[in-house]
């Protein structure tokens, strides 16, 4: 299957992308990983992207699209892929359509993870990270530490990252609504959108997504 995964910050896209890609035996292609891999390998595209990032500018769509094209042409993506973080706007969605059409293939579904805005804010703003080891993450509501402000694992101080503050989260949501959400209508017009609730346990959301994708595949 060839799938695009969309949803607001805090909907659990990264977690679900990893799980779904494994269940469906297709590669998980995220823009973050693409940038890191190209910059780390010092590819021409990586150097170009880094020049924009170092100058504090957004990486142009054409650079992101070229990276995605290169990754989708790798052998492990021959039978499908799951795109996470790309396309990020309608312009990129159109470019992806043209790219796929040139290869004689098409998307099977656009999976839309839906979560109420206040729930998203609660999820992200409640996160607390350990200063000693950032892989130790807690949540003031869903997975609170035994002692307030102290990591259960190593005793390090727990803190709220700047980009997890409520103000920052609401700004990120505003960007999502303005730039990325319009691609849902773009793909809905093509009959590709499958919307599921991103609420509940992680396993339940994964199962919900698999069932929705299966139904959609059978309907086509």
């Amino acid at each position: 299957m060839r799938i695009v995964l969309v949803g607001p910050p805090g909907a659990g896209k990264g977690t679900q992308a990893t799980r779904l890609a494994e269940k469906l035996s297709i590669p998980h292609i995220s823009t973050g990983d693409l940038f890191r891999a190209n910059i780390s390998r010092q590819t021409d595209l990586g150097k170009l992207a880094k020049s924009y990032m170092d100058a504090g500018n957004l990486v142009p769509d054409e650079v992101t699209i070229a990276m995605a094209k290169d990754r989708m042409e790798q052998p492990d993506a021959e039978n499908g892929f799951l795109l996470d973080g790309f396309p990020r706007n309608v312009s990129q969605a159109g470019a992806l359509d043209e790219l796929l059409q040139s290869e004689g293939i098409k998307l099977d579904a656009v999976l839309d993870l839906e979560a109420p805005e206040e729930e998203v804010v609660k999820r992200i703003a409640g996160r607390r990270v350990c200063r000693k080891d950032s892989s130790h993450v807690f949540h003031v509501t869903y997975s609170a530490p035994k002692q307030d402000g102290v990591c259960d694992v190593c005793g390090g101080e727990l803190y709220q990252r700047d980009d997890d503050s409520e103000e920052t989260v609401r700004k990120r949501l505003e960007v999502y609504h303005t730039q990325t959400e319009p691609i849902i209508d773009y793909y809905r017009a093509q009959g590709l959108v499958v919307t599921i609730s991103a609420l509940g346990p992680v396993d339940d959301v994964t199962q919900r997504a698999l069932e929705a994708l299966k139904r959609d595949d059978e309907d086509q």
Side-chain angles (χ1 to χ4, degrees):
M1 292 190 81
R2 296 176 178 87
I3 303 165
V4 167
L5 186 64
V6 296
K13 289 194 303 300
T15 299
Q16 292 304 326
T18 302
R19 294 165 68 92
L20 291 170
E22 184 178 343
K23 296 278 188 183
L24 296 168
S25 300
I26 54 178
H28 167 208
I29 302 175
S30 80
T31 39
D33 290 344
L34 285 177
F35 283 123
R36 282 187 288 272
N38 276 274
I39 291 171
S40 173
R41 299 201 313 268
Q42 295 192 335
T43 65
D44 289 342
L45 286 170
K47 291 175 183 176
L48 186 57
K50 191 172 186 299
S51 70
Y52 285 99
M53 294 163 74
D54 287 348
N57 298 320
L58 290 174
V59 177
D61 284 352
E62 56 265 29
V63 177
T64 305
I65 292 162
M67 285 186 183
K69 178 179 185 293
D70 179 67
R71 180 64 184 86
M72 288 187 289
E73 289 175 345
Q74 299 304 309
D76 66 336
E78 184 177 349
N79 295 317
F81 48 75
L82 189 152
L83 295 175
D84 168 22
F86 174 81
R88 193 174 292 277
N89 53 48
V90 172
S91 174
Q92 289 185 2
L96 176 61
D97 277 352
E98 290 179 10
L99 172 60
L100 295 178
Q101 286 167 10
S102 71
E103 300 293 328
I105 57 180
K106 61 183 181 64
L107 290 175
D108 293 296
V110 174
L111 182 62
D112 171 29
L113 296 182
E114 196 172 60
E117 188 157 316
E118 290 310 310
E119 173 62 23
V120 166
V121 172
K122 183 179 178 182
R123 282 185 181 186
I124 300 178
R127 280 198 299 231
R128 298 295 183 269
V129 181
C130 178
R131 287 195 188 276
K132 285 186 179 179
D133 187 336
S134 61
S135 69
H136 301 160
V137 181
F138 296 83
H139 193 281
V140 295
T141 303
Y142 304 122
S143 55
K146 294 173 184 174
Q147 184 179 343
D148 190 36
V150 179
C151 176
D152 288 354
V153 183
C154 67
E157 177 196 357
L158 298 179
Y159 74 105
Q160 182 187 53
R161 298 185 310 186
D162 290 342
D163 58 349
D164 286 346
S165 71
E166 182 173 339
E167 181 183 2
T168 303
V169 174
R170 291 195 185 278
K171 285 180 180 176
R172 289 168 61 193
L173 283 167
E174 190 176 327
V175 171
Y176 171 76
H177 292 317
T178 304
Q179 296 184 13
T180 306
E181 202 169 42
I183 73 171
I184 297 174
D185 286 336
Y186 174 87
Y187 283 124
R188 186 173 283 120
Q190 299 179 34
L192 290 172
V193 176
V194 179
T195 301
I196 66 161
S197 169
L199 301 182
V202 171
D203 287 345
D204 290 358
V205 178
T206 303
Q207 191 57 37
R208 202 178 294 148
L210 290 170
E211 290 172 359
L213 289 169
K214 182 179 179 182
R215 284 196 303 270
D216 185 65
D217 191 41
E218 290 173 347
D219 290 342
Q220 291 183 19

